[in-house]
Amino acid sequence: MSGAEAPDAVDGRRPLWVVPHEVPAIVPLPLRSTEPRWVGVYRWAAVGGDLLSAMLGVSIALLTRFGYHVGGGYLIMSSLLPLAWVGSVALSKGYDPRYFGAGPDEFRSLLRSGVGLTAAVAMTSYVTKTEIARGFVVLAIPVMVGSALFLRYALRKDLHRHRVRGRCMHRVLVVGRNGPAATLCEHLESRPTDGFRVVATCRPRGDGHQNGPLQLEELDEPDILAAADRHAVDVVAISTDPELVGQSLRRLSWALEQRGIELIVSPGIIEVAGPRISVRPVAGLSLLHLERPSVSGGPHLMKAVFDRIVALGFIVVLAPLLIGLALAVKVTSPGPVLFRQQRVGRAGVEFTMLKFRSMYSDAEQRLGDLFALSDGNGVIFKMRDDPRMTPFGRWIRRFSLDELPQLFNVLLGDMSLVGPRPPLSEEVALYAADDSRRMLVKPGITGLWQVSGRSDLSWDESVRLDLRYVDNWSMTLDLLILWKTVRAVIYGAGAY
């Protein structure tokens, strides 16, 4: 851009960011198609998977309910239901590229679609006075949703494998001062599976270079659009900066829209998920509203009921395994079958946590001699080769079978299926002010800590994951964690 003063300069000073004014918003420019090829492949694969799931659900429901004697009406409905399912997922933004491979919204859209399709079928049946067998609907749609979730999960894991290798990524231009831009770059690239690769940073005029964490090409580029075009980016990410707001940011969004480039703005809020954030228009301003986290009330009542029902179901189904493990613990080493330990629960209330004993009966007395050898994170004591552990105890810990008695803690209401790790009172005494926020909810048998590395995590990482869970709890997140727990238990990563 030329060195002439920009039209919106104030008091003879150049604005921090120069957004071109030569391109009026009313003059349409040809949109360039910036949607990467992999987005189209993923979308069509998702549509194909949803159609396959719908046909599977319909086929199973027809064969189960009617056998090989299916009426013409059900054949027509069975032909339309897969199309209705794909349309429902599309309306729930299940094919929106923003959610491909990142966050729970992709799975949440499938669950919403299942509920919506069930309601639509029921309403259509009522309005048209058509008798639809309840057994058909009750079987078809749950199978449809379950298989769609499984196929979408498999598709997402395949995308993650490509992203770890550096493929299927969004090219990002980060705009901001050195400090905020470096922080935004670090967060965007901290998880390659989210699909963001920062290819350049654009800094304001006069913002001196510094030896910070930015290891990319640092552009002292006054024209954001020129930088975006030069690096063929898919996304422009604005870091928190009071200078690039208002009309300048609005004009920038118009110009990027004409180029088919996505604009994202970081509000500077960390570890807060989408359900708690909403944008409210007030007096012409778009205000970011941060909802209070849900730690009580109706949703948590539903969580408590869900926990108890599932825990009771697991206890009934796993009764033979529980009895077998109890006998094995008793036979392989002297001492009680169950290990009882006082832990701190919600609101600082202590309770007795149950586990199958995996150590020799004198383990607590020998603990003091082993503190110097801890492999833990400075607060939690852990040893990879703990000499106090029995051979059988080492095996049940490998697959987290020692924690199965905690299902009774869930049944009694002391714990939840999903939540922060239940701490010892000595650990709580070392908590910083932020750490105690973990006790706003019940501790869980599993949680983000369990599915993200367990004992291999540092203390700060463990706290960060627990606080993220407290701040962003939802039933969808609980279900996602329960699903991931199965994989974590099978692989046994971080379990010792």
Side-chain angles (χ1 to χ4, degrees):
M1 190 166 176
S2 66
E5 286 293 328
D8 59 347
V10 179
D11 297 331
R13 295 173 297 168
R14 294 172 63 87
L16 181 63
W17 302 104
V18 180
V19 181
H21 299 268
E22 303 87 17
V23 184
I26 58 174
V27 178
L29 294 179
L31 290 175
R32 62 183 176 95
S33 176
T34 60
E35 186 175 274
R37 180 176 176 272
W38 69 265
V39 172
V41 173
Y42 188 98
R43 182 185 290 114
W44 282 112
V47 172
D50 291 341
L51 283 173
L52 181 62
S53 301
M55 290 186 288
L56 177 65
V58 167
S59 300
I60 291 176
L62 286 176
L63 290 174
T64 304
R65 181 66 176 80
F66 305 106
Y68 295 98
H69 306 286
V70 183
Y74 279 99
L75 288 176
I76 295 174
M77 186 175 71
S78 300
S79 302
L80 295 177
L81 203 56
L83 298 178
W85 168 244
V86 171
S88 178
V89 174
L91 289 175
S92 298
K93 298 184 178 180
Y95 307 123
D96 192 326
R98 291 178 296 174
Y99 307 135
F100 288 171
D105 294 283
E106 193 173 4
F107 300 114
R108 190 181 289 120
S109 67
L110 295 175
L111 295 174
R112 283 198 304 264
S113 301
V115 174
L117 187 59
T118 303
V121 170
M123 186 176 298
T124 302
S125 175
Y126 176 77
V127 172
T128 61
K129 302 196 182 301
T130 304
E131 291 294 331
I132 299 177
R134 287 189 293 271
F136 173 80
V137 177
V138 168
L139 188 57
I141 294 182
V143 171
M144 191 184 304
V145 174
S147 53
L149 286 170
F150 176 78
L151 291 176
R152 190 66 68 93
Y153 176 78
L155 183 61
R156 171 181 282 217
K157 297 308 293 183
D158 182 64
L159 176 62
H160 287 177
R161 284 190 288 270
H162 283 288
R163 285 178 169 176
V164 168
R165 297 184 179 95
R167 299 191 291 266
C168 303
M169 305 291 279
H170 298 287
R171 295 172 58 84
V172 183
L173 168 69
V174 170
V175 179
R177 295 183 180 276
N178 275 328
T183 301
L184 183 55
C185 288
E186 181 181 350
H187 280 278
L188 288 177
E189 296 198 315
S190 61
R191 294 201 316 175
T193 53
D194 286 345
F196 291 104
R197 177 193 293 140
V198 180
V199 295
T201 60
C202 186
R203 302 178 301 105
R205 297 187 182 93
D207 202 17
H209 291 267
Q210 63 180 29
N211 295 323
L214 290 180
Q215 301 298 323
L216 305 154
E217 177 189 356
E218 291 190 342
L219 302 175
D220 194 6
E221 174 60 65
D223 188 344
I224 298 171
L225 297 180
D229 291 336
R230 180 181 305 167
H231 291 271
V233 299
D234 308 306
V235 180
V236 170
I238 309 294
S239 63
T240 307
D241 196 299
E243 300 289 346
L244 188 56
V245 293
Q247 195 64 20
S248 294
L249 187 58
R250 188 186 187 195
R251 283 193 297 268
L252 176 61
S253 70
W254 290 342
L256 292 175
E257 176 189 346
Q258 292 172 341
R259 285 164 168 78
I261 300 175
E262 185 179 352
L263 174 67
I264 58 177
V265 180
S266 169
I269 301 172
I270 61 172
E271 302 295 356
V272 178
R276 285 188 56 206
I277 297 177
S278 59
V279 177
R280 297 185 179 179
V282 177
L285 299 175
S286 297
L287 302 182
L288 192 68
H289 184 79
L290 193 63
E291 300 285 352
R292 289 179 294 181
S294 174
V295 295
S296 62
H300 276 266
L301 176 61
M302 180 174 65
K303 175 182 171 70
V305 172
F306 173 81
D307 285 341
R308 284 174 168 83
I309 292 175
V310 174
L312 180 60
F314 273 126
I315 290 172
V316 172
V317 172
L318 299 177
L321 176 62
L322 292 170
I323 295 172
L325 290 173
L327 291 174
V329 171
K330 188 66 177 177
V331 169
T332 54
S333 64
V337 170
L338 293 177
F339 174 69
R340 294 176 169 84
Q341 191 175 48
Q342 291 299 112
R343 296 291 181 113
V344 181
R346 184 180 181 184
V349 178
E350 292 193 358
F351 68 97
T352 302
M353 189 183 74
L354 304 175
K355 297 177 71 174
F356 281 125
R357 182 175 55 83
S358 59
M359 295 185 174
Y360 293 104
S361 54
D362 62 345
E364 291 294 299
Q365 290 74 30
R366 297 166 60 186
L367 179 60
D369 301 330
L370 300 173
F371 261 118
L373 303 176
S374 174
D375 295 318
N377 49 35
V379 177
I380 302 173
F381 175 83
K382 287 285 185 179
M383 284 189 69
R384 293 185 183 274
D385 298 310
D386 198 323
R388 302 171 301 158
M389 202 174 299
T390 67
F392 183 72
R394 196 176 302 277
W395 182 80
I396 61 175
R397 278 209 179 187
R398 169 70 173 77
F399 297 102
S400 300
L401 296 175
D402 61 319
E403 299 178 3
L404 287 179
Q406 292 173 26
L407 291 169
F408 291 96
N409 287 118
V410 175
L411 203 58
L412 293 172
D414 296 323
M415 294 180 64
S416 174
L417 291 175
V418 182
R421 174 187 169 275
L424 295 164
S425 56
E426 307 91 80
E427 297 169 9
V428 174
L430 299 176
Y431 278 5
D434 291 345
D435 301 347
S436 59
R437 187 173 175 81
R438 305 163 80 206
M439 292 185 288
L440 287 176
V441 298
K442 291 179 182 179
I445 298 178
T446 184
L448 284 177
W449 176 82
Q450 177 91 2
V451 301
S452 303
R454 291 192 266 189
S455 299
D456 289 336
L457 299 174
S458 69
W459 173 249
D460 289 339
E461 289 172 329
S462 299
V463 171
R464 178 176 58 82
L465 290 172
D466 283 343
L467 293 181
R468 179 191 297 174
Y469 175 81
V470 172
D471 284 340
N472 302 295
W473 173 83
S474 69
M475 283 302 301
T476 305
L477 180 60
D478 273 10
L479 294 173
L480 185 60
I481 291 173
L482 288 172
W483 170 259
K484 288 186 175 182
T485 299
V486 176
R487 184 184 61 179
V489 168
I490 292 174
Y491 286 102
Y496 53 87

